[in-house]
Amino acid sequence: MKADLVIRNGAVVTPGGVIQANIAVKGGRIVGMSSGELTPDADEMIDAAGLVVLPGGVDTHTHLREPGFTHKEDIQSGTRAAVAGGYTTVSGMPNVQPITTTVQRYLDLIEVYAANSLVDFNHNPAPTRLEEVQALADAGALGFKIYMITDKGTDYPHMPELGVHHQGRLFEIAEEVGKTGLPLMVHPNNQELLETLSDRAIKAGDTSYQTVAQLSASYDGIIFDSAISYLCRMQEVLGFRLHVLHLRSPRSLEVLRAAKRAKQAVTVETNPHMLFLCNDWEEIERLGPYALNLWNGPNTTDLLWECVNDGTIDVIGSDHAPHLREEKEIGWTNMFVAANGTPKIQETLPLFLNAVNEGRLSYTRLAEIFSTTPAKIFGLYPRKGVIQVGADADLVVVDPNKEQVLRNEDMLSKCGWTSWDGRRVRGVTVHTLVRGTFAYRDGKVVGKPGHGRHVKPAREKDRLL
Ligand SMILES: [Zn+2]
């Protein structure tokens, strides 16, 4: 057999550990993994000596802003940034315009992805119209997303139509989503308490970014933690698959660890900013609105890394959420009305590669949180999320030793800036392949819009998590 492509001599990150192997690709799939003479001939040979090959990233939490907010980002620009960041599958969130709450809107959006995406894709609609939920699942939605939050002084990105704050309504939504077998992704928040504490600050004339960032950690993080307690308790009685987003606070981790010990169907996401930005008060002070509007609270760094390594945290979602500088600048004086969210899809992998170099986690664990576990939770495994024979040849080849400085001008997102401008990291994306085709090669985007395919989750019985 002659392969289309062989990647030779790389250190390949597999579920069993890092092995030296040649990867043969044919028809978009991995058809062989071997060493030495066993490697088939191929039309193209790539030498990856000294490089590390990871499964392509599966990002189940992106905001690519299309349709409705394409001045910030669109599917094409966002997936160009994604391949530079080693992602080969992305799934979008419903806060676009029109918001994705119906099957028709979901299918319309899938068509826009199909025409424009460089990577494989799906979307997570909002299950706020109960009568649409089952049909959305049947149409192939990856999961559902609920926001327990709306913004205080602005109606984007947490749109009023999407916010669910009534506990009974949330209960009915969880019941309905439970019938589909798909995960319910939730942004936890106690909206009433957030509003009370926000109003208190606004009334006192304090709209500073420092105050807004501290709100999230105030009173020992109760705004966040109390929502997670309710979600876990609700999961226990209803049995739906709960996927908790934005993990950051020590007390909520205790609740989630208990739920996991009790074998509840609870999985947990954190984001690059929780480990590289919102844990660092000096950076929040320095960056103002170009950080996020939240602080984890004191001394969370080591604890969060412990959770990454012990499995309390299952996945990293980039939560790529770009806004233009013009939409951020107001935050220097009034953070309540500044657009909330930051770009990250290109920066996440280099930040984590640097963390591997610092000894914070292993390549094997990085592959799990970046690719394998999200693919398992969302029913895409073993087609996605793993380097093994039979899987899609979604691969990211990185240079673990090369240093780079993250720079605003190198960011491919339309917003053109990064919170990590000037940050020196060790670890660089060299190539990204989507089903065996180069989407990023030698540091340049070469992928074509329209290459991406709609990837649907496996039915319940075929799922591994
Ligand atoms: Zn998000």
Side-chain angles (χ1 to χ4, degrees):
M1 179 202 67
K2 196 175 184 199
D4 300 334
L5 170 76
V6 168
I7 299 173
R8 299 177 67 91
N9 304 320
V12 181
V13 184
T14 73
V18 183
I19 59 168
Q20 211 65 40
N22 301 331
I23 302 171
V25 176
K26 192 175 175 67
R29 296 212 174 200
I30 297 168
V31 292
M33 288 176 64
S34 56
S35 58
E37 310 86 74
L38 293 172
T39 303
D41 192 18
D43 294 337
E44 186 172 13
M45 293 276 183
I46 299 290
D47 187 29
L51 306 180
V52 174
V53 189
L54 290 149
V58 176
D59 191 0
T60 54
H61 189 159
T62 62
H63 302 273
L64 301 185
R65 307 303 193 202
E66 185 169 4
F69 304 92
T70 51
H71 64 287
K72 300 172 193 279
E73 194 77 289
D74 58 40
I75 290 165
Q76 222 177 95
S77 61
T79 57
R80 285 171 63 84
V83 296
Y87 285 106
T88 52
T89 302
V90 301
S91 194
M93 289 302 193
N95 57 335
V96 287
Q97 194 63 262
I99 53 175
T100 32
T101 50
T102 71
V103 176
Q104 194 52 54
R105 288 176 183 178
Y106 172 77
L107 292 174
D108 289 348
L109 182 48
I110 290 299
E111 263 184 47
V112 182
Y113 268 95
N116 292 288
S117 181
L118 277 70
V119 301
D120 287 351
F121 59 85
N122 203 330
H123 186 78
N124 315 306
T128 49
R129 296 194 193 182
L130 297 185
E131 69 281 9
E132 297 275 345
V133 168
Q134 186 59 52
L136 281 162
D138 294 341
L142 194 72
F144 291 97
K145 164 76 182 278
I146 279 294
Y147 295 87
M148 294 174 76
I149 190 168
T150 48
D151 292 324
K152 186 65 199 158
T154 170
D155 59 6
Y156 198 78
H158 302 123
M159 299 142 117
E161 312 95 286
L162 280 174
V164 177
H165 315 307
H166 187 281
Q167 298 200 347
R169 187 156 171 256
L170 189 58
F171 191 92
E172 288 190 330
I173 287 170
E175 261 180 335
E176 202 61 29
V177 170
K179 292 177 198 165
T180 68
L182 295 178
L184 180 60
M185 314 168 85
V186 187
H187 179 143
N189 180 54
N190 183 328
Q191 183 71 18
E192 289 172 347
L193 186 53
L194 174 65
E195 285 196 15
T196 297
L197 297 179
S198 300
D199 286 343
R200 215 187 255 183
I202 291 166
K203 214 167 155 191
D206 185 357
T207 57
S208 69
Y209 64 85
Q210 292 95 332
T211 292
V212 173
Q214 282 174 354
L215 265 180
S216 61
S218 66
Y219 300 95
D220 197 23
I222 189 174
I223 295 172
F224 190 70
D225 301 343
S226 56
I228 290 183
S229 296
Y230 178 61
L231 288 168
C232 285
R233 188 75 182 92
M234 195 168 68
Q235 192 289 325
E236 193 178 14
V237 297
L238 290 179
F240 68 100
R241 299 175 63 214
L242 171 64
H243 188 65
V244 174
L245 306 177
H246 304 309
L247 235 290
R248 58 178 181 263
S249 77
R251 288 298 295 274
S252 58
L253 288 165
E254 286 173 23
V255 173
L256 289 160
R257 279 176 167 163
K260 287 184 161 215
R261 272 198 304 273
K263 303 275 184 247
Q264 287 180 236
V266 176
T267 50
V268 177
E269 176 200 276
T270 197
N271 316 104
H273 45 273
M274 304 310 176
L275 293 157
F276 303 109
L277 188 60
C278 303
N279 55 333
D280 185 341
W281 182 255
E282 282 179 23
E283 282 296 275
I284 294 170
E285 277 273 348
R286 183 176 74 84
L287 291 164
Y290 295 95
L292 275 114
N293 64 344
L294 59 90
W295 180 44
N296 291 352
N299 306 320
T300 58
T301 307
D302 289 345
L303 180 62
L304 286 174
W305 281 111
E306 185 186 308
C307 291
V308 164
N309 284 306
D310 72 10
T312 307
I313 289 169
D314 297 281
V315 309
I316 299 296
S318 80
D319 194 12
H320 178 67
H323 298 284
L324 300 188
R325 288 173 195 273
E326 300 92 284
E327 299 164 324
K328 282 286 186 184
E329 280 294 310
I330 181 80
W332 290 110
T333 50
N334 185 352
M335 192 63 178
F336 282 106
V337 299
N340 172 21
T342 56
K344 297 163 212 87
I345 205 162
Q346 191 175 343
E347 302 96 308
T348 299
L349 181 60
L351 289 165
F352 274 92
L353 291 173
N354 192 59
V356 171
N357 276 316
E358 287 176 343
R360 286 284 190 186
L361 78 170
S362 66
Y363 281 113
T364 311
R365 186 62 189 147
L366 174 57
E368 287 170 357
I369 60 174
F370 180 68
S371 179
T372 314
T373 311
K376 284 183 176 174
I377 292 171
F378 290 90
L380 303 179
Y381 185 92
R383 187 173 155 203
K384 303 291 187 193
V386 64
I387 302 179
Q388 67 184 21
V389 172
D392 281 354
D394 292 343
L395 304 166
V396 53
V397 182
V398 303
D399 186 335
N401 296 314
K402 192 170 172 185
E403 288 199 355
Q404 65 174 327
V405 177
L406 300 174
R407 295 268 180 225
N408 289 336
E409 51 268 36
D410 296 328
M411 293 297 124
L412 299 173
S413 168
K414 268 192 189 175
C415 74
W417 59 272
T418 172
S419 304
W420 293 286
D421 179 56
R423 177 92 50 121
R424 180 175 290 277
V425 293
R426 194 145 70 94
V428 174
T429 312
V430 180
H431 311 301
T432 304
L433 294 95
V434 180
R435 280 176 282 102
T437 300
F438 281 94
Y440 188 74
R441 185 165 194 165
D442 294 316
K444 292 206 165 45
V445 177
V446 296
K448 297 278 179 288
H451 179 69
R453 286 189 194 155
H454 184 199
V455 283
K456 298 180 187 180
R459 308 304 296 185
E460 184 73 0
K461 64 176 174 45
D462 300 322
R463 284 171 175 274
L464 293 173
L465 266 183

